[in-house]
Amino acid sequence: MAMDLRARKRVLLVMYVAVFGVLTTSTKEATGQTIGPIFIFGDSTMDVGTNNRIENCSARADHPYYGIDFLGSQATGRFSNGLNTADTIARLLGGYDMSPLPYLALVEGGSNFTRGILNGANFASGGAGLAKGIGKQFYGQVVSMEEQVQQFATVQGNITALLGASKGNRLLRKSMYIFSIGSNDLMTYIFTRPMTPEQFVINLTDTYAIHLKNLYHMGARKFAIISIPPIGCCPIARSLSGGSCTDDTNSLARACHTSFESLLNNLSSTLKGFKYSLANTYNMTMSIISKPIGFKNVTSACCGDMTPQGLSDCKEGVHLCETRDDYLFWDAFHPTQKASELAANALVFSQDPDFVSPINFGSLRKA
Ligand SMILES: *[C@@H]1O[C@H](CO)[C@@H](O)[C@H](O)[C@H]1NC(C)=O
Ligand SMILES: *[C@@H]1O[C@H](CO)[C@@H](O)[C@H](O)[C@H]1NC(C)=O
Ligand SMILES: *[C@@H]1O[C@H](CO)[C@@H](O)[C@H](O)[C@H]1NC(C)=O
Ligand SMILES: *[C@@H]1O[C@H](CO)[C@@H](O)[C@H](O)[C@H]1NC(C)=O
Ligand SMILES: *[C@@H]1O[C@H](CO)[C@@H](O)[C@H](O)[C@H]1NC(C)=O
Ligand SMILES: *[C@@H]1O[C@H](CO)[C@@H](O)[C@H](O)[C@H]1NC(C)=O
Ligand SMILES: *[C@@H]1O[C@H](CO)[C@@H](O)[C@H](O)[C@H]1NC(C)=O
């Protein structure tokens, strides 16, 4: 794929977003002794406003038409027309209306920080990758996975300071840790190819392992991992390859899934109490693309203009489809709210091991 830098930038923008996650709840249920809060890590697929709060970050969705179907048509930083997958997962798991607030919003909230973190936090940052440098050359500043884990370390310290070591650790063991990251690493690899695909998959898996082990040693036990979707079929990729999916990108996404599966299986047999659920978004998305029940358009973005350089960014003035719910893709990379809901439903409830295994997110929550 020959892509100019602008196209690369847009491709890297894979999945981002932000609103003010207003928590309902049942503080008792979310923070309580029974279930524990939710912590979310990742890229634009999960970002609910992190990047809005980063100076000099150009990976943002805080402008129209983002959020057009959100409460008050607010562009919150979510890379969606409405809610994103993090929101719906949190809601379906119970105790939340939408994703917990961005960590950076809690920090800004000052005196409310302590109460906030007991309801969880969302660290995800659009453009971020598992590897440290991903996204930074294109977007100025994003929060890498390593930095997200460091931010969690602060939260962990604050929680144990607040509740005491024993109660704090118990809460963290019951909490749910949700991850959706890796697409930006894969995109960056495709453009630079500094190693063989096999080496890349091993390197990425080893990098994931470092982050997961660090979190385990801070008390995390319930790991819900969303693997890499078929990014070779997202509208920007299709727009740059004459309409079809790019197979080398997709086959790498599949290889990463297989490798993550092996890693998680190994971690669960070597780390005492390590529990996981692995979602196969590759399969989920492909099953919709090949049998688009409920969608009229699974190839093009609802928001964006076709240009000779490929699909444009989503912003005011570009083409906007009429019926958002008919589309799988909202913009060049990201699913619509409707597609996110469908995916979240499968992650939380599906009994099909082709979609989520060895147990679904709902069972992991209760485990
Ligand atoms: C703290 O929370 C209260 C009540 O939810 C809210 O009114 C107030 O604006 C918050 N303060 C900050 C600094 O966010
Ligand atoms: C902002 O980001 C650009 C790259 O997009 C970089 O060249 C510049 O040094 C950054 N400035 C600051 C203050 O971080
Ligand atoms: C949370 O922990 C950090 C790092 O230890 C500390 O600087 C900060 O003051 C703590 N925040 C609260 C509200 O306790
Ligand atoms: C992955 O590859 C990069 C570049 O060669 C290297 O700097 C990094 O240490 C590797 N990561 C792991 C976990 O092996
Ligand atoms: C998992 O363990 C097996 C057996 O020790 C090993 O061959 C495999 O490479 C490991 N997988 C990962 C991803 O580390
Ligand atoms: C789902 O994923 C598994 C493992 O990658 C694969 O063997 C299977 O064929 C996939 N099924 C569908 C329907 O894509
Ligand atoms: C999908 O939507 C795009 C524009 O949003 C349009 O050009 C294309 O023809 C549509 N495809 C189908 C199959 O409806």
Side-chain angles (χ1 to χ4, degrees), residues 25-97:
T25 52
S26 184
T27 314
K28 187 140 178 246
E29 193 185 9
T31 68
Q33 306 318 304
T34 47
I35 192 154
I38 295 174
F39 297 100
I40 297 171
F41 301 81
D43 56 25
S44 55
T45 51
M46 298 305 224
D47 190 333
V48 293
T50 298
N51 284 10
N52 295 356
R53 297 177 168 79
I54 304 175
E55 218 182 311
N56 204 21
C57 170
S58 62
R60 321 171 74 105
D62 55 356
H63 55 271
Y65 300 120
Y66 288 101
I68 189 166
D69 297 312
F70 198 83
L71 199 66
S73 289
Q74 218 187 336
T76 60
R78 286 169 170 81
F79 292 76
S80 168
N81 55 311
L83 296 171
N84 70 12
T85 311
D87 294 311
T88 311
I89 293 174
R91 186 166 55 74
L92 294 176
L93 288 175
Y96 293 85
D97 264 359

Side-chain angles (χ1 to χ4, degrees), residues 5-332:
L5 191 70
R6 281 192 34 234
R8 289 184 192 191
K9 269 191 168 185
R10 276 184 276 113
V11 171
L12 274 177
L13 209 99
V14 171
M15 337 222 176
Y16 319 77
V17 193
V19 168
F20 263 98
V22 182
L23 289 176
T24 35
T25 52
S26 184
T27 314
K28 187 140 178 246
E29 193 185 9
T31 68
Q33 306 318 304
T34 47
I35 192 154
I38 295 174
F39 297 100
I40 297 171
F41 301 81
D43 56 25
S44 55
T45 51
M46 298 305 224
D47 190 333
V48 293
T50 298
N51 284 10
N52 295 356
R53 297 177 168 79
I54 304 175
E55 218 182 311
N56 204 21
C57 170
S58 62
R60 321 171 74 105
D62 55 356
H63 55 271
Y65 300 120
Y66 288 101
I68 189 166
D69 297 312
F70 198 83
L71 199 66
S73 289
Q74 218 187 336
T76 60
R78 286 169 170 81
F79 292 76
S80 168
N81 55 311
L83 296 171
N84 70 12
T85 311
D87 294 311
T88 311
I89 293 174
R91 186 166 55 74
L92 294 176
L93 288 175
Y96 293 85
D97 264 359
M98 54 179 80
S99 167
L101 290 170
Y103 169 78
L104 294 182
L106 292 169
V107 171
E108 273 176 17
S111 57
N112 291 340
F113 180 76
T114 308
R115 193 156 47 89
I117 55 173
L118 290 176
N119 273 318
N122 184 326
F123 305 93
S125 166
L130 284 159
K132 203 171 174 174
I134 300 295
K136 297 198 177 181
Q137 67 269 47
F138 297 117
Y139 307 124
Q141 205 56 49
V142 302
V143 189
S144 70
M145 189 64 185
E146 182 177 302
E147 293 164 307
Q148 294 181 32
V149 172
Q150 282 162 1
Q151 292 174 339
F152 176 76
T154 302
V155 168
Q156 182 240 7
N158 295 136
I159 288 180
T160 49
L162 191 71
L163 303 179
S166 138
K167 234 176 136 190
N169 287 333
R170 204 162 62 226
L171 188 69
L172 294 174
R173 278 200 303 274
K174 282 190 218 132
S175 301
M176 185 100 164
Y177 301 82
I178 302 173
F179 305 81
S180 176
I181 192 156
S183 296
N184 292 307
D185 300 79
L186 201 161
M187 285 297 180
T188 306
Y189 171 75
I190 292 283
F191 296 124
T192 55
R193 295 191 187 269
M195 51 186 98
T196 68
E198 293 75 19
Q199 285 166 338
F200 166 73
V201 172
I202 292 171
N203 183 286
L204 192 66
T205 308
D206 290 347
T207 308
Y208 222 145
I210 292 169
H211 300 311
L212 297 178
K213 283 180 190 164
N214 282 340
L215 288 165
Y216 174 85
H217 292 302
M218 287 182 234
R221 291 295 178 272
K222 298 182 180 187
F223 296 87
I225 315 270
I226 299 170
S227 62
I228 303 175
I231 44 186
C233 294
C234 72
I236 185 81
R238 285 190 195 259
S239 77
L240 296 168
S241 65
S244 51
C245 300
T246 44
D247 289 333
D248 58 345
T249 312
N250 280 354
S251 76
L252 261 179
R254 285 196 304 273
C256 287
H257 181 88
T258 306
S259 182
F260 294 170
E261 192 164 37
S262 163
L263 168 70
L264 291 166
N265 188 29
N266 289 2
L267 291 178
S268 71
S269 63
T270 53
L271 301 175
K272 189 168 173 284
F274 183 102
K275 299 185 192 78
Y276 74 95
S277 170
L278 175 63
N280 193 335
T281 37
Y282 187 92
N283 274 3
M284 272 180 220
T285 311
M286 280 319 227
S287 81
I288 291 172
I289 289 175
S290 59
K291 229 192 283 163
I293 298 163
F295 294 97
K296 296 207 172 101
N297 198 319
V298 295
T299 52
S300 301
C302 169
C303 181
D305 282 334
M306 273 308 287
T307 74
Q309 292 80 40
L311 187 63
S312 78
D313 290 339
C314 173
K315 54 178 190 261
E316 219 161 4
V318 302
H319 170 79
L320 180 68
C321 73
E322 245 166 55
T323 314
R324 266 85 70 180
D325 283 357
D326 284 347
Y327 279 70
L328 176 58
F329 291 101
W330 161 245
D331 66 5

